[in-house]
Amino acid sequence: MEEVKKEELKELKDQYPISFKRWLAREIESDKISVKEAAVRFGFDPRTINDWFNRYSLGKELSLAAMTPQEKQEKAALERRVKELEKALEMAKLKNVAIETMIDIAEEQLKISIRKKSGPKQ
C-alpha cells in the first residue's frame, strides 16, 4: 500500500509543468503564500512544495562560465558594430534635418509648395 502511495505522489509531481513549479516557488519566496497555504490550496504534500521551492526558487546563485577568447572577440566585434550603427544613425538624423531645412528655405524663397499636403484630394 505504501509503494502505491509513493508512485501516485511521483506521478502527481511529474504532471505539473516546470513553469507552474517556478511560479509557486516565487510566490512562496515573495511571501505571497506560505508552504502550508499552498499545500491546502493545491492539495499537495508540504514536502512536495518544499522540494519544488528548493529546486526552483530564485534565491539560488547562478554562476555563468567565463567567456572564451572567441566569445570575447565576438562581443568586441558586436560592440564595434553597434558604435558604427549609432554613428550612421546620427549622420542620417543630421542629413534629415539638413534636407528639412533646405525644403523650408526653398519653399520660403521660391514661394512654392514642395511638401505633399495631407488630407483628402478635392
Side-chain angles (χ1 to χ4, degrees):
M1 184 69 172
E2 188 66 31
E3 281 297 317
V4 173
K5 185 87 167 167
K6 285 182 182 178
E7 295 218 5
E8 288 175 4
L9 285 175
K10 183 172 178 5
E11 287 178 18
L12 178 69
K13 288 181 187 179
D14 292 339
Q15 77 181 10
Y16 287 91
I18 292 176
S19 59
F20 172 77
K21 296 172 187 178
R22 285 186 179 141
W23 170 82
L24 188 57
R26 277 187 242 117
E27 292 291 303
I28 293 168
E29 193 171 39
S30 63
D31 293 327
K32 292 182 181 174
I33 190 171
S34 70
V35 172
K36 189 175 184 178
E37 291 170 337
V40 170
R41 181 174 170 190
F42 297 107
F44 297 132
D45 182 354
R47 289 178 290 184
T48 300
I49 294 176
N50 278 325
D51 179 45
W52 290 352
F53 179 76
N54 291 333
R55 192 174 296 168
Y56 299 110
S57 68
L58 296 175
K60 295 180 181 178
E61 299 251 348
L62 297 177
S63 62
L64 298 175
M67 290 175 59
T68 65
Q70 181 183 2
E71 290 172 331
K72 288 179 184 178
Q73 288 176 346
E74 289 174 5
K75 181 182 178 222
L78 290 173
E79 288 172 349
R80 283 192 302 273
R81 180 71 177 141
V82 167
K83 286 182 182 180
E84 290 171 5
L85 291 172
E86 287 173 344
K87 194 176 200 178
L89 176 61
E90 187 62 32
M91 291 301 291
K93 286 179 180 179
L94 288 173
K95 183 178 179 181
N96 191 32
V97 168
I99 290 171
E100 291 292 323
T101 304
M102 189 172 63
I103 290 172
D104 290 341
I105 293 171
E107 285 181 334
E108 184 181 307
Q109 289 181 355
L110 301 174
K111 307 282 189 233
I112 60 172
S113 178
I114 297 174
R115 289 188 182 91
K116 182 179 177 182
K117 303 289 185 202
S118 60
K121 294 182 180 180
Q122 294 183 359

